[in-house]
Amino acid sequence: MMALPYITEHTGFTGTVYATEPTVQIGRLLMEELVNFIERVPKAQSASLWKNKDIQRLLPSPLKDAVEVSTWRRCYTMQEVNSALSKIQLVGYSQKIELFGAVQVTPLSSGYALGSSNWIIQSHYEKVSYVSGSSLLTTHPQPMDQASLKNSDVLVLTGLTQIPTANPDGMVGEFCSNLALTVRNGGNVLVPCYPSGVIYDLLECLYQYIDSAGLSNIPFYFISPVANSSLEFSQIFAEWLCHNKQTKVYLPEPPFPHAELIQTNKLKHYPSLHGDFSSDFRQPCVVFTGHPSLRFGDVVHFMELWGKSSLNTVIFTEPDFSYLEALAPYQPLAMKCIYCPIDTRLNFIQVSKLLKEVQPLHVVCPEQYTQPPPAQSHRMDLMIDCQPPAMSYRRAEVLALPFKRRYEKIEIMPELADSLVPMEIKPGISLATVSAVLHTKDNKHVLQPPPRPTQPTGGKKRKRASDDIPDCKVLKPLLSGSIPVEQFVQALEKHGFSDIKVEDTAKGHIVLLQEAETLIQIEEDSTHIICDNDEMLRVRLRDLVLKFLQKF
Amino acid sequence: MPEIRVTPLGAGQDVGRSCILVSIGGKNVMLDCGMHMGFNDDRRFPDFSYITRNGRLTDFLDCVIISHFHLDHCGALPYFSEMVGYDGPIYMTHPTQAICPILLEDYRKIAVDKKGEANFFTSQMIKDCMKKVVAVHLHQTVQVDDELEIKAYYAGHVLGAAMFQIKVGSESVVYTGDYNMTPDRHLGAAWIDKCRPNLLITESTYATTIRDSKRCRERDFLKKVHEAVERGGKVLIPVFALGRAQELCILLETFWERMNLKAPIYFSTGLTEKANHYYKLFITWTNQKIRKTFVQRNMFEFKHIKAFDRAFADNPGPMVVFATPGMLHAGQSLQIFRKWAGNEKNMVIMPGYCVQGTVGHKILSGQRKLEMEGRQVLEVKMQVEYMSFSAHADAKGIMQLVGQAEPESVLLVHGEAKKMEFLKQKIEQEFRVSCYMPANGETVTLPTSPSIPVGISLGLLKREMAQGLLPDAKKPRLLHGTLIMKDSNFRLVSSEQALKELGLAEHQLRFTCRVHLHDPRKEQETAVRVYSHLKSVLKEHCVQHLPDGSVTVESILIQAAAHSEDPGTKVLLVSWTYQDEELGSHLTSLLKKGLPQAAS
């Protein structure tokens, strides 16, 4: 969602954007923080000539290795954020949204964050699921809705965990013990983080942990321009939370224990380190602040303040950035660095479990998931393994999905349905021929009974046949079946034909009506009537033949 | 003939104990399960024995839907599910699920502990009943089973109030519960999309009222409260713990702050604080303004409003007290009312509708001498004021909702018969739809004609659509196909495909007619003459002269041959299949008439 303004504001996009309410509210906070951080350090000039490939090649690493530099953009403004968000239409989980009458779109809980969604795009006969950033672990959000993903023709799978080898539970434990150790030794702990998401879980763990670890006197500071909003918003989305937290709201109690941490003054939040914070600030302490890249935001000040002392610790929990790269400009550092990435998104074991459960006909995923990570090329378990093999895609590649649309829904009006005459062809299978008027509106098709005058009966038509050219749009049905010769001859006799001669041929029979100079060739799946130009006779014969055949 | 049947067990031409049975597409749904505030006997609960004489309710009902937490909509729920016995799903929104058990418990306490009623549901029954509840989100499509689906819309009546759409196939019913079409100080307005249900079941509490602007009413209310407090009087505002109470609290809170008033405002019972807490946690269900500003200032944290203690009622000096329940039929509000009723300086403001039989209803209808329990007579000297703050849609609002949803017919419940009659006429006139107002136990049957959804093969559909784009599109085109019915799977395919799928061979029926023409020329020349003749007559058809000497009209083949005996006669063999019957027959008769003289 963080790139939404680039699409809605600069590409001429005029469509609707669908998102859940928590996504919009928390997304706004994340963008607001980013804009705030960037705007604090305005740049007077910006250089772009280096993006020329020939120059970029000559630059030192990591600049020369950067890919797609031409697509790099300036950060948006708050005005653009607001404009982008105003184009969003709020939706709820399991809400069916009709698009142009042709397809239905439905968000489902993905279990990763407040309001995070997987999406189903389906018509009446086809179903595509988009699974991105999902989690099967029990954290604060509503659990992932797996059942609704079943019977997908295609499942697009992306947003898997970035640290497939780390177990989030173990990482949380390590986080707590390292934090406690540092604080007990009189050091400070710095946690570079985003203002929403994992921080709620970390605070909850610490809430349970601090008393047993004897940390009740240590202040926790959460510094972000949106810290207050983030903590407040987290408490009002009861309907988007896991069952345990919902039950708390019913009591009614705030779903997250950080409300209590704030009440008891253990957790304090500030919009920035200027102002109130500087007077309240006590050491040793724990500080949660952004940005996790360590390139901008209040975290930079703390790195510089605490970097020189080996008593202090910085603990990385966000998996988005390599901690070594993040620390590079601050080296040499005396401060301890702990890396406990917490990424609750699906790992490869969970993916195969999910795919077994959901059983899509085809899986589509980014190319990198179809092979082990380059750094651990021997780990064959770190890739998606499914049957049939997943189809992979790359940036800017167009992929044709392997299904063919065969059917679409059409509604038969009750009056028309009443007029249909079904006949049983095989046990359990009945057929009815339908002649109806097709009405199509908003991609919805309706069959209505044909208006009477345009379907004249055959007899009437023929009387006037010499006057007007017949309307060949009145199609004759197809025929099927075969004609038993003996019964046919009997029928002929019954209708007054005499002098009938039957000859056997290689493929069937020839029935001769000598008097009328008429020849009827009867074969397994064809009948040929050859006669003089005697319309009355021909029609009589035709109707006789038709009696033996089924019409479609 | 498929039909929708609706039977109110409660709230039919009445307000109270809302309970409506709906049968749609073979499914049975019960809407609301309320109690009647005006009765203390059997009439308090709906007559559930009507549903099935002997059978189990669970077997008969597919689901129960509760629109909001007011007791006249959910008060009979534990009785129904635990004492009568129902184990199926009960649907309601999250706030309703949170608040409903608290109000039920409150109601139980008044009934059992204070009035000493026996054979009432217990606390445990309330808990067991709530375990059967499934919470729904707004706009979420809940699949009750394969065919029945329900969807909640925002109703704005109280926190968590919802309207429900019940849908089976292409048939649907919308039940509004109680709703409010004008946003107030804490809730937004009800909204529904143009879902065109077969039937809209709407409340009609204010069927004949068109209320003036909310602002005027608010000003009036504040003025009255202010005057009473100024002259040292006590103001009693009977409310239900959740809903109007919060709106009026916000109103008074801001007024007190602006006017810098000192008189205390109290809110009775512990429930209130809890109630405010619910509003804080379910702030997403309140109106835009409150949601936007809640981080800076939560509107439900009141500075001037304090918890009430029973002893405060005897304190001297002015005060404002919000006390429950809202219809003065029991509890704290009634106690305070009895204490204050004798003093003309005091005032009671009834901010909502009162059901017949309650003290509230009596004083509003002008009664000033009330017979209380134990034959005591209470003389009411205090000022009695009525202000309609209850969040029901007025006549204008109801019409607005009918316009929004565009139903095929309307059914009125939750209102008084006389007023309904008026609204019914108005709806029938304005929207030209039929409108019903059944009494309790009376069944309305609506025949429906659902269309039948089938799958059409895309090939057939595209072929037809492509032809539909011709300039001739105005003329209705006929689509021909074959409907294959296998079990409950219906598919419409082209005839060719149907044959292929069923493994049937097509039987070709072909006709060849000999037409004798008097023409002494060679066969080839005859063919050319036939060609040019047909070309000039059949302008709309594709007439071709093939290199082998034969002539085709569309797919009809015409060959000229010499007559075996008479050289002056040529035989034309006209050959066509049954599918070209009309054209073939037409051609032979055309050729029989001979070729035009001009050409020879």
Side-chain angles (χ1 to χ4, degrees):
Chain A
M1 156 147 194
M2 294 298 279
L4 186 65
Y6 292 119
I7 295 176
T8 58
E9 304 309 300
H10 301 300
T11 62
F13 176 83
T14 55
T16 310
V17 182
Y18 294 100
T20 62
E21 184 168 5
T23 305
V24 175
Q25 299 296 3
I26 291 173
R28 178 198 296 275
L29 296 181
L30 292 174
M31 292 200 251
E32 200 177 316
E33 190 196 62
L34 186 70
V35 172
N36 190 300
F37 282 163
I38 300 278
E39 284 178 354
R40 277 187 206 171
V41 277
K43 281 193 183 130
Q45 287 178 317
S46 69
S48 62
L49 283 175
W50 65 275
K51 290 180 180 173
N52 186 319
K53 282 225 162 60
D54 294 328
I55 300 172
Q56 196 201 349
R57 207 160 35 85
L58 304 172
L59 294 173
S61 175
L63 282 179
K64 76 171 179 201
D65 302 324
V67 285
E68 305 282 355
V69 284
S70 59
T71 64
W72 290 13
R73 291 281 176 273
R74 230 170 214 288
C75 186
Y76 35 74
T77 62
M78 221 34 224
Q79 200 184 352
E80 288 169 319
V81 170
N82 287 329
S83 164
L85 294 181
S86 71
K87 296 179 172 100
I88 296 183
Q89 190 172 325
L90 297 183
V91 293
Y93 288 152
S94 304
Q95 179 176 349
K96 292 179 179 169
I97 307 143
E98 285 278 340
L99 296 188
F100 314 110
V103 288
Q104 228 177 32
V105 177
T106 308
L108 303 173
S109 176
S110 78
Y112 173 55
L114 277 175
S116 66
S117 328
N118 292 325
W119 295 81
I120 293 177
I121 306 160
Q122 64 186 340
S123 66
H124 288 283
Y125 291 92
E126 299 86 18
K127 178 170 173 180
V128 177
S129 307
Y130 173 64
V131 175
S132 167
S134 301
S135 176
L136 290 171
L137 300 176
T138 322
T139 56
H140 58 275
Q142 219 182 77
M144 177 176 174
D145 182 351
Q146 295 183 58
S148 307
L149 296 173
K150 283 185 182 169
N151 303 321
S152 298
D153 294 290
V154 172
L155 185 137
V156 184
L157 183 63
T158 181
L160 303 184
T161 179
Q162 307 201 39
I163 324 285
T165 48
N167 167 15
D169 280 336
M171 287 298 152
V172 171
E174 213 168 294
F175 169 82
C176 288
S177 58
N178 276 301
L179 183 142
L181 191 72
T182 307
V183 176
R184 253 186 242 125
N185 291 332
N188 300 298
V189 177
L190 179 62
V191 186
C193 64
Y194 292 116
S196 170
V198 175
I199 185 167
Y200 304 140
D201 295 317
L202 289 179
L203 288 174
E204 183 156 7
C205 287
L206 288 172
Y207 168 79
Q208 290 155 1
Y209 186 73
I210 45 178
D211 286 327
S212 63
L215 300 177
S216 9
N217 296 321
I218 304 296
F220 290 80
Y221 301 117
F222 177 18
I223 302 167
S224 158
V226 296
N228 185 25
S229 302
S230 165
L231 293 173
E232 290 284 344
F233 269 112
S234 67
Q235 304 286 21
I236 65 158
F237 292 121
E239 292 159 277
W240 309 84
L241 293 172
C242 64
H243 185 72
N244 271 343
K245 298 229 179 302
Q246 264 179 19
T247 329
K248 274 187 132 178
V249 174
Y250 288 176
L251 287 177
E253 275 172 24
F256 285 97
H258 55 239
E260 198 185 320
L261 288 174
I262 294 169
Q263 235 170 25
T264 54
N265 264 329
K266 284 175 186 157
L267 173 66
K268 292 183 180 174
H269 52 83
Y270 304 90
S272 83
L273 44 74
H274 306 288
D276 289 345
F277 176 71
S278 28
S279 49
D280 295 352
F281 181 51
R282 272 191 302 126
Q283 297 193 54
C285 65
V286 180
V287 171
F288 294 88
T289 189
H291 184 271
S293 67
L294 304 192
R295 290 298 181 275
F296 50 86
D298 296 309
V299 73
V300 175
H301 300 274
F302 286 99
M303 282 305 294
E304 276 163 5
L305 180 67
W306 291 342
K308 292 165 200 72
S309 165
S310 61
L311 282 177
N312 301 329
T313 306
V314 55
I315 308 181
F316 293 89
T317 56
E318 302 287 354
D320 285 359
F321 302 94
S322 148
Y323 80 107
L324 290 173
E325 271 177 34
L327 286 172
Y330 299 94
Q331 299 292 2
L333 271 177
M335 144 189 240
K336 275 195 291 263
C337 304
I338 308 285
Y339 181 55
C340 318
I342 299 170
D343 194 334
T344 56
R345 286 172 287 187
L346 297 173
N347 63 33
F348 291 100
I349 301 168
Q350 290 162 336
V351 165
S352 56
K353 211 173 111 191
L354 175 75
L355 292 181
K356 230 174 254 165
E357 178 77 25
V358 172
Q359 297 204 323
L361 289 183
H362 299 278
V363 175
V364 173
C365 67
E367 198 180 27
Q368 60 263 37
Y369 294 149
T370 58
Q371 56 212 32
Q376 295 154 296
S377 53
H378 61 286
R379 292 289 297 270
M380 294 307 283
D381 56 329
L382 298 185
M383 57 183 273
I384 291 180
D385 182 26
C386 64
Q387 277 312 321
M391 303 174 60
S392 64
Y393 61 86
R394 269 185 252 187
R395 192 189 141 85
E397 192 178 48
V398 176
L399 202 64
L401 297 181
F403 61 71
K404 198 166 178 261
R405 296 186 58 222
R406 289 208 167 80
Y407 289 97
E408 197 154 307
K409 195 177 123 173
I410 193 163
E411 302 218 320
I412 297 184
M413 296 294 283
E415 304 88 59
L416 175 63
D418 285 344
S419 71
L420 296 181
V421 190
M423 51 181 175
E424 193 160 15
I425 297 295
K426 290 177 182 173
I429 303 179
S430 303
L431 294 185
T433 47
V434 179
S435 288
V437 180
L438 174 70
H439 283 266
T440 298
K441 194 182 165 193
D442 298 339
N443 282 323
K444 298 246 179 277
H445 313 292
V446 177
L447 280 183
Q448 290 179 346
R452 295 204 175 275
T454 55
Q455 203 192 30
T457 58
K460 269 186 194 164
K461 187 83 195 175
R462 236 182 322 279
K463 275 179 198 159
R464 291 182 284 119
S466 50
D467 309 327
D468 24 58
I469 295 157
D471 181 8
C472 69
K473 279 174 185 169
V474 182
L475 280 174
K476 287 286 175 197
L478 290 183
L479 303 171
S480 177
S482 58
I483 296 173
V485 178
E486 281 172 28
Q487 285 170 36
F488 181 62
V489 170
Q490 281 167 15
L492 283 175
E493 282 169 344
K494 220 169 157 187
H495 281 78
F497 291 98
S498 56
D499 206 6
I500 302 169
K501 231 172 128 183
V502 180
E503 286 173 18
D504 289 354
T505 63
K507 284 184 184 164
H509 311 274
I510 292 179
V511 178
L512 276 169
L513 304 176
Q514 290 178 326
E515 202 175 303
E517 281 188 56
T518 295
L519 193 91
I520 304 169
Q521 288 175 348
I522 299 177
E523 288 174 13
E524 178 67 29
D525 47 13
S526 70
T527 300
H528 195 167
I529 300 175
I530 302 163
C531 61
D532 264 344
N533 193 3
D534 181 349
E535 188 69 11
M536 291 288 281
L537 172 71
R538 192 185 66 81
V539 170
R540 268 171 77 196
L541 289 174
R542 180 194 72 187
D543 292 342
L544 265 176
V545 169
L546 288 180
K547 274 189 189 151
F548 289 94
L549 296 173
Q550 289 153 339
K551 289 176 199 158
F552 291 95
Chain B
M1 194 70 175
E3 57 187 27
I4 296 175
R5 269 178 297 130
V6 182
T7 315
L9 298 184
Q13 303 182 2
D14 185 19
V15 177
R17 61 163 192 186
S18 283
C19 185
I20 298 138
L21 278 183
V22 173
S23 302
I24 172 173
K27 304 283 170 185
N28 298 306
V29 178
M30 189 166 103
L31 304 169
D32 279 339
C33 187
M35 48 83 69
H36 204 296
M37 310 259 190
F39 299 119
N40 281 326
D41 51 20
D42 280 353
R43 288 173 294 173
R44 175 169 52 195
F45 294 142
D47 179 15
F48 296 117
S49 61
Y50 176 93
I51 303 176
T52 53
R53 292 270 168 258
N54 312 307
R56 290 175 60 234
L57 287 175
T58 317
D59 299 334
F60 180 77
L61 288 175
D62 292 282
C63 75
V64 173
I65 295 171
I66 302 294
S67 65
H68 64 285
F69 59 65
H70 277 160
L71 289 174
D72 58 331
H73 292 261
C74 70
L77 203 53
Y79 169 75
F80 165 77
S81 76
E82 304 312 307
M83 297 173 76
V84 182
Y86 168 75
D87 297 319
I90 302 169
Y91 293 95
M92 52 178 82
T93 64
H94 283 271
T96 309
Q97 190 191 358
I99 296 164
C100 180
I102 295 167
L103 295 184
L104 285 171
E105 180 59 30
D106 222 48
Y107 170 46
R108 191 196 68 81
K109 269 190 198 147
I110 291 175
V112 177
D113 300 353
K114 297 220 170 120
K115 294 188 187 160
E117 283 186 49
N119 198 21
F120 207 76
F121 53 78
T122 63
S123 298
Q124 189 56 43
M125 284 178 182
I126 298 176
K127 281 188 193 132
D128 292 341
C129 164
M130 293 311 290
K131 280 183 197 149
K132 296 169 186 169
V133 170
V134 182
V136 300
H137 293 240
L138 280 184
H139 302 160
Q140 174 191 9
T141 306
V142 180
Q143 215 71 45
V144 177
D145 58 32
D146 287 345
E147 289 158 341
L148 175 62
E149 60 180 47
I150 60 172
K151 181 176 176 183
Y153 291 93
Y154 190 79
H157 172 63
V158 286
L159 192 71
M163 308 189 274
F164 279 90
Q165 182 191 39
I166 300 113
K167 203 171 166 193
V168 180
S170 59
E171 296 170 69
S172 65
V173 171
V174 169
Y175 173 59
T176 64
D178 292 355
Y179 63 102
N180 185 11
M181 294 298 282
T182 44
D184 61 26
R185 285 195 179 250
H186 73 307
L187 296 175
W191 177 86
I192 194 159
D193 53 8
K194 210 177 273 310
C195 54
R196 299 194 173 95
N198 296 85
L199 177 66
L200 175 78
I201 305 176
T202 173
E203 65 135 328
S204 49
T205 322
Y206 290 115
T208 52
T209 325
I210 290 182
R211 285 181 294 178
D212 47 1
S213 92
K214 192 115 200 180
R215 228 156 253 286
C216 297
R217 256 176 298 147
E218 285 177 0
R219 210 167 32 225
D220 266 12
F221 170 78
L222 291 171
K223 205 173 123 201
K224 277 177 185 154
V225 173
H226 194 189
E227 278 169 9
V229 171
E230 286 283 271
R231 64 168 183 256
K234 296 177 168 62
V235 181
L236 171 65
I237 308 171
V239 286
F240 286 99
L242 287 133
R244 259 359 67 199
Q246 277 68 29
E247 185 189 356
L248 297 178
C249 280
I250 293 175
L251 196 60
L252 280 188
E253 168 92 6
T254 36
F255 186 68
W256 249 238
E257 194 150 316
R258 200 174 43 169
M259 306 294 285
N260 204 11
L261 295 178
K262 291 286 176 278
I265 307 175
Y266 296 113
F267 209 137
S268 80
T269 71
L271 181 55
T272 315
E273 212 178 322
K274 230 177 175 180
N276 288 342
H277 217 101
Y278 279 117
Y279 275 85
K280 275 189 245 171
L281 293 173
F282 284 111
I283 215 142
T284 50
W285 283 80
T286 58
N287 70 23
Q288 278 285 321
K289 195 180 151 204
I290 293 184
R291 282 156 60 175
K292 272 210 174 122
T293 55
F294 90 101
V295 176
Q296 290 79 41
R297 173 145 202 258
N298 198 320
M299 288 295 261
F300 298 103
E301 277 162 18
F302 301 114
K303 268 189 260 166
H304 297 272
I305 300 170
K306 298 173 196 78
F308 181 75
D309 187 286
R310 201 178 295 184
F312 294 170
D314 298 322
N315 283 0
M319 66 172 83
V320 179
V321 174
F322 289 94
T324 56
M327 299 188 194
L328 284 179
H329 56 281
Q332 199 154 28
S333 60
L334 188 58
Q335 276 175 20
I336 301 172
F337 173 74
R338 287 166 82 163
K339 256 186 198 153
W340 294 357
N343 191 335
E344 57 277 344
K345 265 204 287 184
N346 296 343
M347 180 191 280
V348 59
I349 300 181
M350 305 299 296
Y353 183 87
C354 288
V355 167
Q356 262 189 354
T358 59
V359 173
H361 190 266
K362 284 176 195 157
I363 57 168
L364 282 185
S365 50
Q367 220 173 313
R368 286 295 172 264
K369 288 211 167 103
L370 298 172
E371 202 173 309
M372 306 305 279
E373 292 141 45
R375 302 206 164 204
Q376 260 179 303
V377 174
L378 182 69
E379 201 175 335
V380 182
K381 287 187 186 151
M382 76 198 296
Q383 244 181 295
V384 178
E385 295 288 346
Y386 173 69
M387 313 225 98
S388 159
F389 273 97
S390 69
H392 293 279
D394 60 1
K396 207 168 105 196
I398 296 170
M399 298 303 274
Q400 211 179 328
L401 188 88
V402 175
Q404 263 182 27
E406 285 193 2
E408 279 170 24
S409 48
V410 178
L411 189 145
L412 303 178
V413 293
H414 200 282
E416 289 158 29
K418 251 194 242 154
K419 295 181 179 175
M420 276 185 181
E421 196 71 57
F422 174 82
L423 185 66
K424 175 174 151 40
Q425 276 177 14
K426 208 170 146 191
I427 289 175
E428 283 174 343
Q429 269 169 20
E430 196 156 317
F431 295 103
R432 312 228 162 264
V433 297
S434 41
C435 184
Y436 308 87
M437 39 175 284
N440 286 338
E442 196 182 313
T443 302
V444 170
T445 306
L446 284 175
T448 58
S449 50
S451 51
I452 296 152
V454 301
I456 182 167
S457 93
L458 216 60
L460 179 61
L461 183 65
K462 279 193 177 155
R463 192 172 78 192
E464 291 300 324
M465 301 252 284
Q467 285 169 342
L469 293 176
L470 296 173
D472 208 17
K474 268 184 205 155
K475 246 165 116 187
R477 276 191 42 81
L478 283 180
L479 176 145
H480 295 270
T482 302
L483 190 64
I484 306 180
M485 289 165 270
K486 191 176 168 186
D487 305 325
S488 58
N489 181 3
F490 287 43
R491 286 175 307 136
L492 183 64
V493 299
S494 63
S495 306
E496 294 89 341
Q497 197 184 336
L499 282 177
K500 217 161 116 192
E501 265 185 43
L502 294 169
L504 298 175
E506 188 192 336
H507 189 102
Q508 211 183 53
L509 177 57
R510 180 167 271 285
F511 305 96
T512 301
C513 262
R514 291 186 289 262
V515 181
H516 297 266
L517 264 190
H518 190 75
D519 189 0
R521 273 163 283 206
K522 281 187 179 170
E523 295 98 70
Q524 287 89 337
E525 286 170 45
T526 312
V528 173
R529 285 183 63 201
V530 168
Y531 168 71
S532 50
H533 171 54
L534 292 179
K535 183 95 180 164
S536 67
V537 177
L538 303 172
K539 288 211 171 69
E540 283 182 25
H541 295 275
C542 169
V543 185
Q544 281 180 307
H545 190 200
L546 298 181
D548 69 354
S550 53
V551 176
T552 59
V553 180
E554 305 285 346
S555 60
I556 297 170
L557 189 72
I558 305 168
Q559 281 172 316
H563 197 278
S564 51
E565 288 151 26
D566 179 8
T569 305
K570 297 287 172 296
V571 180
L572 289 179
L573 292 170
V574 186
S575 179
W576 71 92
T577 63
Y578 177 59
Q579 280 67 37
D580 294 318
E581 174 74 5
E582 302 281 335
L583 186 62
S585 159
H586 176 67
L587 262 184
T588 48
S589 52
L590 198 69
L591 289 171
K592 205 172 168 186
K593 282 190 252 175
L595 298 172
Q597 288 305 313
S600 55

